[in-house]
Structure formats: structure tokens, C-alpha cells
């Protein structure tokens, strides 16, 4: 048996990870005149940007997909790349179904009962008032940081929501942000996210919210455009095994290449970076952070139809429910309506009254059948007549452990700035390292910009 010897390369900067943050960092560096090599473990670039093929040239995003008006860096990037956007479809009525009662409504606020509506408003006011006291760059220095980081968002909601309906709506909206039950998320982390991501309404809404806009061709097109611009600087199928550094430079070893460089940007979640050996060893706080880090895991599921038949009923394809699978449904059809696509999310744990058995969690056919059943209840028997079922699971990815940094209690106050603090010549990027819009595509871009600024400020002296 013959083995291929890794290519021996030299660059100013090695970027580990070709997700959105790593690609943006590499592109920024190249445009500033630096030589770059990007090492990616997978056989494609894009990380958590992933298109699903719905047939006839139509796609549905399997990963990150929405951009809101506050996501200014993303809009700037899309303009630079020449990519077009279009609004998420909202024309028509939204379905609200709870405890078997189905209603439709216009606008952004579900038809909650008066008690639930007031309850939601008071809890939102309290959360946003607390969030305003959490410093964006140093949330662990908030006056009540220790108290808030010792409990969960779910516990706080249980204590302060008087109505089950309001509690359910918070669980639905915020668990989508963290891809996990609110019972797993530090209250301090949730407050920081609310304060730095536009507030509760922006995070949860489509119109004038974080889900307002989509990218023509899907967000995989963003990664593909940057990767094409970078060309052979991107090395796929090259999982990094070790990073060695000393006063002269760094050596990054991977399956496909060994790169001698002046600086390294690791654009991965802290949990995924734990697979890399660092020499000398990482500082204790960073090493422990990588061991305790968790990302939320979920699946995006889609049913593809010949046309968006629900629009003929005056519906916009959106639904907010307490059904087993279709808690939150959105119309993910292409802008010309040439196919109809309904999308929902399936997490990994029961929460807020959502309960799944192991069959649904572990069997694709069971998930499809359960999803169809829910959509029939929402949209009628036409929902049975689908062309194909698509899903993307972020639970069992070999190189990516989940989709959103949720930060369990104690992580922020115990490990403080270990997420972003450079270790010698190693700098950290990735959506989870952004002080604003963490875990959003906007956060990925901002994290890349910060890491590049650090590298440029420190200077790049390549070992020769």
C-alpha cells in the first residue's frame, strides 16, 4: 500500500476550517496582500451552510439561511460577491394551532389570549431589561453574572411566565435560536444573546426580523463564491491533526498538507477544536473550555411539492403550533414559486411540551411520516401529495458538532474570554466567537473580521 505524502506549503497565515468564518477571514487576508492556505476536513467548503437539492434546479437550505436588516456585514458581503437576495414569503395568513384549536392571523403576533399576551409582554420586557445590563464584550462582568450563569433560561421562564401559552411561545422561538431546549441554556448566555442580537422580537420574527431575507441560490452559494475566489488556496479533505508553534512561527499538520506559517486562525467551534493537538499545550482555561463546550443539535426537514398550494388558500405557509414535529413551519419555496417547500426543525430533546420518541429521533421514515401527518392537520389533505422529503442532520456530522453555541450554566463565568483570547500565534474565529450575533451568519463574518484584525496587528513573520 502506498501513502501520499502531505504537501509542504508555506504561507503567511493558515486558516483551519472552511466554514463561512474561515472563508471570510481568508478572503480578507488575501485582499490585504497576505498569502493564505485554508485547511478543511470535509470534502466541501461551507461548514454549516448547506444546500439541499429539491429538483429542477431548486434548492432548500439545510443549514444557516436567513439574513435580517441588522445583519449589516452579511449584506455587505453578499453585495461584494454579487449575490442576490429575496424576501422570505410572508404574504397571506399564518396558522396558529394550540391544543387542537386552529386559527389564522395576519402580522407577527399570534392570536394569544389576553392573559397570555400580557404575560408574554411582561416577560419580554424583563428579559430585555436584564439583557441591557450585560456588557457585549465581557458578559461575565455583568453585575449579576454569577447569579444568572448559575441557572438556565428555562428555569427563569418557568418562574416568571404565568401562562402556559406564553411559556410555550418563548420555548418555541428561543429554542430555535439555540437549537436546544431552554433548560440547557445559561440564563446569562440567553441575556447576552438577546442584548447583542437585536432583541426578542427581532430574533423571533420574519418580517422586520432575523428571518426576513434569503439568498438566491441558497447560502451555499456564498461559500462556493468565496472558495472559487480563493482557488487552490483551499485544501479540502485535510483534517488538521496538530498545530505546533514557537517564537519563529507555526507548523500546521493535516492529512493533505503541512503548512509553515506566521499565524494560524482556527475557525471552528471550541468543541471541534478539541480534536487538534496543540504544542505547546493550550492554557488550562482554553483546554477545559474545549472539553465542556456544547452546541445545540437539530435537523432541518423539508417536504417538496409541485407548487405552493397553501398560497391558493390565502396562507403564507408559516405555522406556530404545539404539534409533535411541526412546531414552527415556514414557506421555503423558491422566489418564483415554481415548487412549494415547507420547512421545519427537529431538535434532539423534548422541551416545552414537545415530545418525541426514539423512533422519530432515530428513523428517517418515521420523521417523514410524522412531519406529513402534522402538515395534513395544518394545511389539509393536499399535504400528503409531496414530491420528496429532504432533511439535513447536524447531529451526526463527522467534523461539526452541532449548529449553535448554547453555553450551559457556568461556561461564561468560568472560562470568560477563553473563546477568543489568542494563544501565541493561534487566533480563534467562528460564529461562536463573535461578541454580537453569536451563532448567526452575521456573527461568523464579524468573528472573521476580528481575527484578521488581530493577526494584522500582531504582524506576520513567516519562518523561512
Amino acid at each position: 500500500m502506498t501513502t501520499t505524502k502531505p504537501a509542504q506549503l508555506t504561507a503567511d497565515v493558515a486558516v483551519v476550517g472552511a466554514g463561512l468564518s474561515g472563508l471570510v477571514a481568508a478572503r480578507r487576508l488575501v485582499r490585504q496582500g497576505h498569502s493564505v492556505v485554508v485547511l478543511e476536513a470535509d470534502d466541501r467548503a461551507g461548514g454549516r451552510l448547506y444546500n439541499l437539492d429539491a429538483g429542477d434546479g431548486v434548492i432548500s437550505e439545510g443549514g444557516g439561511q436567513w439574513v435580517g436588516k441588522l445583519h449589516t456585514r452579511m449584506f455587505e458581503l453578499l453585495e461584494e460577491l454579487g449575490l442576490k437576495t429575496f424576501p422570505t414569503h410572508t404574504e397571506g395568513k399564518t396558522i396558529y394551532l394550540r391544543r387542537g384549536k386552529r386559527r389564522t392571523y395576519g402580522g407577527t403576533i399570534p392570536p394569544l389570549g389576553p392573559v397570555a399576551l400580557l404575560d408574554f409582554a411582561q416577560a419580554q420586557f424583563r428579559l430585555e431589561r436584564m439583557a441591557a445590563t450585560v456588557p457585549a464584550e465581557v458578559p461575565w462582568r455583568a453585575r449579576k453574572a454569577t447569579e444568572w450563569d448559575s441557572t438556565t433560561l428555562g428555569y427563569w421562564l418557568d418562574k416568571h411566565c404565568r401562562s402556559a401559552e406564553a411559556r410555550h411561545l418563548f420555548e418555541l422561538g428561543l429554542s430555535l435560536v439555540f437549537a436546544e431546549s431552554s433548560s440547557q441554556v445559561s440564563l446569562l448566555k440567553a441575556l447576552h444573546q438577546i442584548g447583542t442580537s437585536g432583541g426578542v422580537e427581532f430574533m423571533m420574527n420574519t418580517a422586520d426580523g432575523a428571518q426576513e431575507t434569503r439568498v438566491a441560490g441558497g447560502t451555499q452559494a456564498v461559500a462556493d463564491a468565496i472558495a472559487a475566489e480563493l482557488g487552490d488556496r483551499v485544501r479540502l479533505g485535510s483534517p488538521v491533526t496538530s498545530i505546533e508553534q514557537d517564537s519563529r512561527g507555526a507548523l500546521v499538520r493535516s492529512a493533505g498538507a503541512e503548512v509553515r506559517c506566521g499565524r494560524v486562525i482556527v475557525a471552528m467551534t471550541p468543541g471541534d477544536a478539541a480534536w487538534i493537538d496543540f504544542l505547546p499545550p493550550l492554557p488550562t482555561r482554553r483546554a477545559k473550555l474545549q472539553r465542556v463546550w456544547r452546541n445545540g443539535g437539530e435537523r432541518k426537514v423539508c417536504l417538496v411539492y409541485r407548487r405552493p398550494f397553501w398560497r391558493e388558500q390565502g396562507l403564507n405557509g408559516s405555522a406556530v403550533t404545539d404539534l409533535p414535529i411541526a412546531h414552527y413551519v415556514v414557506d421555503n419555496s423558491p422566489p418564483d414559486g415554481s415548487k412549494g417547500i415547507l420547512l421545519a426543525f427537529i431538535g434532539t430533546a423534548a422541551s416545552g411540551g414537545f415530545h418525541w420518541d426514539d423512533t422519530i429521533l432515530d428513523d428517517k421514515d418515521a420523521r417523514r411520516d410524522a412531519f406529513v401527518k402534522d402538515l395534513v392537520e395544518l394545511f389539509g389533505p393536499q399535504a400528503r401529495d409531496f414530491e420528496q422529503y429532504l432533511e439535513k442532520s447536524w447531529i451526526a456530522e463527522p467534523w461539526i458538532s452541532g449548529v449553535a453555541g448554547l453555553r450551559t450554566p457556568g461556561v461564561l463565568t468560568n472560562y470568560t474570554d477563553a473563546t477568543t483570547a489568542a494563544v501565541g500565534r493561534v487566533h480563534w474565529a467562528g460564529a461562536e466567537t463573535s461578541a454580537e450575533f453569536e451563532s448567526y451568519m452575521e456573527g461568523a463574518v464579524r468573528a472573521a473580521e476580528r481575527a484578521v484584525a488581530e493577526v494584522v496587528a500582531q504582524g506576520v513573520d513567516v519562518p523561512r
Side-chain angles (χ1 to χ4, degrees), residues 130-179:
M130 293 189 298
T133 70
V134 179
E137 298 287 344
V138 286
W140 51 88
R141 292 183 183 170
R143 186 170 61 87
K144 293 188 176 182
T146 302
E147 175 186 339
W148 290 340
D149 203 31
S150 65
T151 189
T152 66
L153 170 63
Y155 179 83
W156 189 93
L157 291 171
D158 288 340
K159 187 175 179 180
H160 293 91
C161 287
R162 306 294 183 180
S163 85
E165 191 172 20
R167 174 69 176 83
H168 170 262
L169 194 59
F170 272 114
E171 184 67 38
L172 189 153
L174 295 178
S175 64
L176 289 176
V177 173
F178 301 116

Side-chain angles (χ1 to χ4, degrees), residues 244-294:
E244 304 169 22
Q245 59 172 320
D246 57 28
S247 60
R248 298 182 300 109
L251 174 62
V252 182
R253 300 182 188 272
S254 77
E258 293 184 353
V259 185
R260 294 191 175 277
C261 55
R263 298 271 164 188
V264 184
I265 294 176
V266 178
M268 305 167 67
T269 73
D272 295 331
W275 295 102
I276 301 172
D277 289 330
F278 289 86
L279 297 172
L282 292 171
T284 300
R285 279 195 311 124
R286 174 70 199 195
K288 289 187 68 175
L289 172 70
Q290 294 183 168
R291 289 180 176 272
V292 303
W293 186 271
R294 276 189 58 203

Side-chain angles (χ1 to χ4, degrees), residues 274-443:
W275 295 102
I276 301 172
D277 289 330
F278 289 86
L279 297 172
L282 292 171
T284 300
R285 279 195 311 124
R286 174 70 199 195
K288 289 187 68 175
L289 172 70
Q290 294 183 168
R291 289 180 176 272
V292 303
W293 186 271
R294 276 189 58 203
N295 273 32
E298 67 183 9
R299 295 180 176 94
K300 290 182 79 169
V301 295
C302 306
L303 283 170
V304 182
Y305 298 90
R306 286 172 297 180
R307 69 186 193 285
F309 65 85
W310 47 91
R311 298 181 186 178
E312 300 162 10
Q313 305 169 16
L315 301 172
N316 59 24
S318 296
V320 178
T321 85
D322 60 358
L323 293 173
I325 297 295
H327 318 315
Y328 173 72
V329 182
V330 65
D331 183 330
N332 222 46
S333 308
D336 61 2
S338 56
K339 283 186 182 290
I341 302 175
L342 292 174
L343 176 149
F345 302 81
I346 303 177
T348 58
S351 60
F354 308 151
H355 297 288
W356 305 300
D357 59 27
D358 287 345
T359 303
I360 289 177
L361 289 177
D362 298 333
D363 184 271
K364 183 177 181 179
D365 290 342
R367 288 192 293 276
R368 178 201 61 208
D369 294 346
F371 188 30
V372 171
K373 182 180 179 181
D374 283 0
L375 292 188
V376 168
E377 184 167 352
L378 292 170
F379 298 100
Q382 285 178 286
R384 291 194 185 94
D385 188 22
F386 61 93
E387 289 187 337
Q388 59 176 317
Y389 168 78
L390 303 172
E391 71 171 33
K392 177 59 180 175
S393 172
W394 297 100
I395 299 167
E397 279 286 301
W399 306 111
I400 301 172
S401 57
V403 293
L406 57 91
R407 306 217 196 202
T408 51
V411 171
L412 271 172
T413 49
N414 283 319
Y415 304 105
T416 61
D417 66 346
T419 311
T420 56
V423 178
R425 295 176 177 272
V426 178
H427 305 261
W428 313 101
E432 287 76 16
T433 70
S434 180
E436 297 179 299
F437 300 101
E438 182 181 331
S439 294
Y440 288 89
M441 292 185 290
E442 176 74 5

Side-chain angles (χ1 to χ4, degrees), residues 177-192:
V177 173
F178 301 116
E180 186 58 272
S181 161
S182 64
S183 66
Q184 303 296 308
V185 182
S186 158
L187 176 59
L188 179 61
K189 156 62 183 172
L191 295 174
H192 179 256

